[in-house]
Amino acid sequence: MPAHDAAAEFTAHSPPAAPPRREIPALWPALLAAPMAAGANSPVLILPDIARSFATTTLTAGWFVTAFAWALAVGTPLMAGLLRRRGLRTTLRVSALLLAAGTVAVALAPWMALALPGRAAQAFGGAGLVASAMSLARTVRRMGVIAMGFGVFAAVGPLLGSLIADTLSWRVSLMLSVPALLALPAALRAAPPAPPAPTTPFDARGAALLATLASFLVLTPRYPLPAAIAAAAGGALLALHVRARPDGFLPAALLRTPAFALCALLACALSTSYFTLLFGLPGQLAARTDWSTAAIGAGQLVALLAGSLCSWLLAATAGRMGGARVVALLIGLGLLARLTADLTPWVPLLLPAFALSALATTAGNATLASYAAGVAPEAQRPTAIGLFHLCYQLGGAFGPALAALSTLPR
């Protein structure tokens, strides 16, 4: 179906209006999810410190970013599947355990080979907390609060990570996801009873194929040809499996919904552009100005805060604008930010372009996630949220890798 038909479908599907069985203040889901953004972005300015600690190169230290992004991408649909089958309480407990265990591993591991699995465990736990927070939010406005929290924590992450590394240690900088556990008691109190035991067996093959495909996609920027070939083969196998089991881990009806596909692909594109700017901008500013690391971090902080705060306004008014207009606005903002960053000869315009990218991505994460969930049947809502955020997190894997392999165009 053409893109304009998919956009028109938004106007016929509104996000579910039914509140959760127990109301929870919107700040608790935001706190449950948003620290993951700080945890993901905290290495932006300290990769050289990590490299020196393990006697390796900055490019190799970039695996701390890639491992986190990979685990978020793979873990999001898997944790959404756990949420759908076992309920919110089980998902919250498993996620908290993974986050805590991963943080201990990062704090104590003497070798990079041990620290990287800990970093991945942090992200797997974070993926479950994000999926849980989105299931508690349900409306565009409440998802807008979560998205704004993501933006604020993402803004604080690089500078806070740098300050903590200078004052204490880079290992402490990689613990910025831990404050999410403060929201765990409130989330557990608001969690509905566990769903009935599933009557169908778990589609382990579908989950494994999706995780494999996501893994190869994450590795594509680093190893383009072999990873692309493997991803194509994995995608073909997954498509055959979905055809054979249309009601399995990946519901065929959801994948064939044009509105859902448009939301997911647009989220991936906006996220990739944003994370490329986020991780590439410090090097670009350092090469073209005499700014210190702290000044660069402060500039990013201001730009991210501006974009994040404006994103909440866009998410709050999205219902009155209509889905098609929101999608068109997000595409326009994303293109304007990317073209400005790529083509401008004036360094001062790089930070406003970054703010526009943060606005488009953060607002898109809130509004598009709500639209994607709104076109899914209630039973498939966790799956829709998980698959949507898989696409968003793939952008979080593509962007840093692309920024590490090349500088921003001048």
Side-chain angles (χ1 to χ4, degrees), residues 178-289:
V178 173
L181 298 180
L182 296 174
L184 189 62
L188 286 171
R189 287 194 298 269
T199 58
T200 58
F202 177 66
D203 182 13
R205 181 179 299 177
L209 287 172
L210 178 62
T212 301
L213 174 61
S215 300
F216 287 132
L217 288 173
V218 168
L219 292 174
T220 299
R222 284 184 175 268
Y223 310 104
L225 184 58
I229 294 174
L237 291 174
L238 183 60
L240 291 174
H241 177 77
V242 170
R243 179 174 295 182
R245 188 169 176 179
D247 58 346
F249 189 81
L250 283 177
L254 181 63
L255 298 179
R256 293 169 184 161
T257 303
F260 175 82
L262 178 61
C263 285
L265 292 176
L266 181 55
C268 184
L270 291 173
S271 177
T272 299
S273 178
Y274 163 73
F275 280 104
T276 302
L277 286 170
L278 176 67
F279 282 83
L281 195 59
Q284 185 77 333
L285 290 174
R288 300 174 65 180
T289 69

Side-chain angles (χ1 to χ4, degrees), residues 25-95:
L27 290 179
W28 287 120
L31 179 59
L32 190 67
M36 296 310 117
N41 292 352
S42 60
V44 170
L45 301 175
I46 62 172
L47 288 179
D49 296 335
I50 298 175
R52 283 192 295 270
S53 178
F54 290 113
T56 186
T57 65
T58 301
L59 184 60
T60 302
W63 278 104
F64 276 86
V65 177
T66 303
F68 197 92
W70 167 81
L72 272 178
V74 173
T76 297
L78 295 181
M79 287 298 185
L82 178 65
L83 177 63
R84 183 179 65 176
R85 297 180 66 86
R86 298 299 181 185
L88 186 56
R89 286 194 176 95
T90 298
T91 304
L92 286 168
R93 289 170 181 146
V94 171
S95 301

Side-chain angles (χ1 to χ4, degrees), residues 83-172:
L83 177 63
R84 183 179 65 176
R85 297 180 66 86
R86 298 299 181 185
L88 186 56
R89 286 194 176 95
T90 298
T91 304
L92 286 168
R93 289 170 181 146
V94 171
S95 301
L97 180 61
L98 285 170
L99 175 58
T103 300
V104 171
V106 169
L108 302 179
W111 304 293
M112 187 171 175
L114 296 179
L116 282 177
R119 185 76 172 144
Q122 285 181 313
F124 268 108
L129 295 181
V130 171
S132 300
M134 290 296 181
S135 73
L136 288 168
R138 302 187 65 89
T139 67
V140 174
R141 186 179 295 271
R142 290 165 68 87
M143 285 190 178
V145 176
I146 294 177
M148 184 178 66
F150 258 100
V152 170
F153 275 77
V156 173
L159 183 58
L160 185 58
S162 177
L163 293 175
I164 291 175
D166 291 340
T167 306
L168 298 173
S169 166
W170 64 263
R171 293 180 186 269
V172 182

